[in-house]
Amino acid sequence: MANKIIAANWKMNLMRDEAVSLLEGLKNGIPENEKADIVIFPPSIYISDLISINDSQIEVGAQNFYFENKGAFTGEVSAIQLKDMGCTHVLIGHSERRELFDESNELLFKKIKSALHANIKIIYCCGESLQEREDGSHLMKIQSQLEILNSLTNNELNSISIAYEPIWAIGTGLTATPLQAEEMHAFIRRVLIDTFSKELASEISILYGGSCNENNANELFNCPNIDGGLIGGASLKVDSFLKIVDSIK
Ligand code: PGA
């Protein structure tokens, strides 16, 4: 069985004090016996502050990094540096990075290898545009984004989760219906079965992201192939994020 994961993508939001109080609120609100993995992805400048006050089961990840380990790459941080700070996860392939920062599959593959080398878990994001959904090429699009995982070993795949995030649903309030989301998640599971094995595919967590909130999380998380969520806007408020965490049960 795949792990349940609820991940919070804070993106480029919150000032330091707000980030600290958000984590404090989550620490107080998440039950000690919470079974799902809870991971927050704060802006990277707050990672070390947050890790230093975090005495809970909440894990801290990074939204971005560069694939080289060290050297003359002004402005960048590496996966081994993140690991050294105590980061457990990284996001790779988020549509905002693919689109706004021109991150190609070739670059994303290098980032995957680099994170694996650093022994950091990966949430690999995929998703189609509105146009691709409307012209019916959405399944093909996702399949092509998943292809960069094909050469990974079984051991490496243990460090990978997938987040399906339809671009038209991110930050728009337009969530995929449970039917649309489950259809895609089942398709992703099928691709993983065909590429790897049934056993391995059943262990890979597939998260849904895109305007997931406290009102729709329950229905989405009840779908058989949805193992949790990658939450943007609704992860910035303690109450709404805690309700989403509660919905995974
Ligand atoms: P959203 O963002 O929940 O605000 O739509 C999700 C994401 O981009 O990870």
Side-chain angles (χ1 to χ4, degrees), residues 10-213:
W10 293 359
K11 307 192 182 182
M12 198 173 72
N13 291 300
L14 306 173
M15 303 309 274
R16 183 185 171 283
D17 287 357
E18 296 167 323
V20 167
S21 39
L22 179 49
L23 176 57
E24 293 291 357
L26 299 181
K27 274 166 48 178
N28 293 333
I30 289 174
E32 267 178 34
N33 58 355
E34 176 55 54
K35 288 199 190 69
D37 296 345
I38 313 294
V39 194
I40 58 168
F41 292 89
S44 63
I45 43 168
Y46 305 142
I47 286 174
S48 101
D49 278 359
L50 295 180
I51 286 179
S52 73
I53 60 155
N54 182 26
D55 48 4
S56 73
Q57 70 166 94
I58 297 169
E59 297 177 293
V60 181
Q63 299 171 22
N64 187 39
F65 64 102
Y66 192 57
F67 64 84
E68 295 284 1
N69 286 332
K70 63 173 186 170
F73 303 102
T74 302
E76 298 297 324
V77 297
S78 70
I80 57 171
Q81 289 174 320
L82 292 170
K83 177 74 179 181
D84 190 44
M85 292 307 302
C87 278
T88 53
H89 291 70
V90 285
L91 291 180
I92 296 181
H94 193 283
S95 60
E96 284 153 19
R97 295 218 58 90
R98 290 182 195 260
E99 288 192 346
L100 301 173
F101 302 97
D102 284 332
E103 294 198 357
S104 63
N105 278 344
E106 195 189 344
L107 176 80
L108 299 178
F109 183 69
K110 289 181 180 163
K111 291 175 84 169
I112 287 175
K113 286 307 234 183
S114 168
L116 290 169
H117 171 256
N119 201 15
I120 292 194
K121 292 181 195 152
I122 295 161
I123 297 183
Y124 176 65
C125 307
C126 56
E128 83 283 1
S129 65
L130 185 58
Q131 197 194 324
E132 288 160 341
R133 167 130 317 241
E134 285 175 349
D135 69 21
S137 62
H138 51 298
L139 299 177
M140 247 164 56
K141 175 61 179 287
I142 302 306
Q143 186 160 16
S144 74
Q145 290 180 327
L146 294 176
E147 269 167 19
I148 67 170
L149 305 177
N150 287 1
S151 66
L152 300 186
T153 64
N154 287 11
N155 199 26
E156 290 175 326
L157 286 159
N158 286 334
S159 299
I160 308 250
S161 304
I162 291 168
Y164 166 59
E165 299 202 303
I167 298 169
W168 47 272
I170 295 179
T172 58
L174 267 184
T175 325
T177 64
L179 206 69
Q180 287 172 319
E182 172 58 21
E183 181 200 33
M184 184 60 89
H185 281 234
F187 174 75
I188 293 171
R189 189 87 64 197
R190 167 57 50 195
V191 171
L192 297 174
I193 291 172
D194 292 346
T195 315
F196 305 110
S197 69
K198 195 165 180 192
E199 199 189 356
L200 213 134
S202 69
E203 307 243 305
I204 297 182
S205 309
I206 309 176
L207 318 182
Y208 171 79
S211 297
C212 182
N213 58 42

Side-chain angles (χ1 to χ4, degrees), residues 210-240:
S211 297
C212 182
N213 58 42
E214 67 267 41
N215 301 318
N216 56 34
N218 204 23
E219 232 189 324
L220 286 162
F221 298 164
N222 270 333
C223 298
N225 284 290
I226 300 185
D227 305 308
L230 176 56
I231 320 296
S235 73
L236 295 171
K237 296 237 160 61
V238 175
D239 282 1
S240 55

